[in-house]
Amino acid sequence: MKYYTLSREGNFYKGNLHTHTVVSDGELTPEDTVERYRKNGYHFLALSDHCHYGYYPELETENFLNIPSMEVQTSNGATWVHHLLVFGDPAVTKIKNHTLFPDRDHAELTIQQLIDKMKATGNLVMYNHPYWSKCDINEIIGLKNLVGMEIYNYGCDVPWKWGSSEVFYEHYLWHGNYLWAISTDDAHGRS
């Protein structure tokens, strides 16, 4: 008998939830970024520019979905910064398309306060690249209201070898917190 980790039936979609464009620190325009993913067989993409809530419905097609999202961060005086991916339906979040959230608007918040603030507007919140961010596991294990954590980030792994965060995820689970494990490329337009 064979055992499978995923159902053998149903629809499977290829996508990425963590990508940057020239709107923040990427190298390609949103249009060029979407086109690159679409040509490579992706079905959905989150253009998660830093502190910029972007949604590009004009770039969607019948077979390609653009997910409204952004990456936000806070240090709250800490040495290292916590990064979050937030995404949701603009009709629910009530965040206007292309809204800018300057770093100063949330730099003094604790990571839990930032998670709660983003969730309060109707967003789903995911923790990004904890290993690359050099976060202390003890700062993460008690966080509430997260739906996912990046356990692999290609953009952090290839140049620095800091992309695997499985141990953070496992410790989070050991403390009775359950969330999705996500793998992303965190592309900034590099080949």
Side-chain angles (χ1 to χ4, degrees):
M1 170 179 264
K2 288 187 177 182
Y3 292 96
Y4 299 98
T5 58
L6 295 173
S7 171
R8 304 297 286 174
E9 299 176 7
N11 297 320
F12 291 86
Y13 300 96
K14 182 178 179 180
N16 188 47
L17 293 174
H18 190 174
T19 306
H20 299 276
T21 72
V22 295
V23 173
S24 63
D25 60 345
E27 296 175 2
L28 299 174
T29 66
E31 295 80 7
D32 290 340
T33 303
V34 166
E35 187 60 25
R36 178 180 278 188
Y37 281 87
R38 199 175 322 167
K39 282 183 177 178
N40 283 288
Y42 282 72
H43 299 98
F44 66 89
L45 179 65
L47 297 177
S48 53
D49 284 304
H50 294 279
C51 302
H52 183 271
Y53 200 85
Y55 176 43
Y56 304 87
E58 68 277 9
L59 301 179
E60 292 182 346
T61 66
E62 182 179 332
N63 299 314
F64 189 87
L65 176 67
N66 175 242
I67 298 174
S69 66
M70 73 176 160
E71 186 173 20
V72 293
Q73 63 210 39
T74 184
S75 62
N76 191 32
T79 306
W80 299 102
V81 176
H82 299 277
H83 291 244
L84 302 172
L85 174 78
V86 298
F87 53 98
D89 179 353
V92 174
T93 65
K94 305 290 191 247
I95 299 174
K96 292 184 180 172
N97 195 17
H98 304 296
T99 298
L100 182 64
F101 288 78
D103 282 338
R104 67 182 175 277
D105 287 355
H106 47 263
E108 297 305 316
L109 298 177
T110 66
I111 185 60
Q112 187 63 63
Q113 288 169 332
L114 182 56
I115 292 168
D116 294 343
K117 178 180 179 179
M118 293 295 116
K119 184 179 185 285
T121 60
N123 284 287
L124 300 174
V125 183
M126 183 176 84
Y127 199 99
N128 286 350
H129 47 62
Y131 184 49
W132 179 86
S133 298
K134 297 184 177 100
C135 295
D136 185 325
I137 288 175
N138 294 313
E139 290 182 274
I140 296 173
I141 57 176
L143 296 176
K144 302 296 181 207
N145 298 320
L146 292 172
V147 298
M149 180 183 293
E150 275 185 347
I151 63 164
Y152 182 75
N153 180 305
Y154 180 84
C156 296
D157 199 45
V158 171
W160 302 292
K161 303 296 183 228
W162 295 344
S164 297
S165 296
E166 292 93 341
V167 70
F168 289 85
Y169 183 74
E170 289 170 357
H171 278 273
Y172 197 79
L173 294 177
W174 291 346
H175 285 82
N177 302 305
Y178 300 101
L179 70 167
W180 292 99
I182 309 295
S183 176
T184 69
D185 66 23
D186 194 3
H188 287 70
R190 300 176 202 108
S191 50

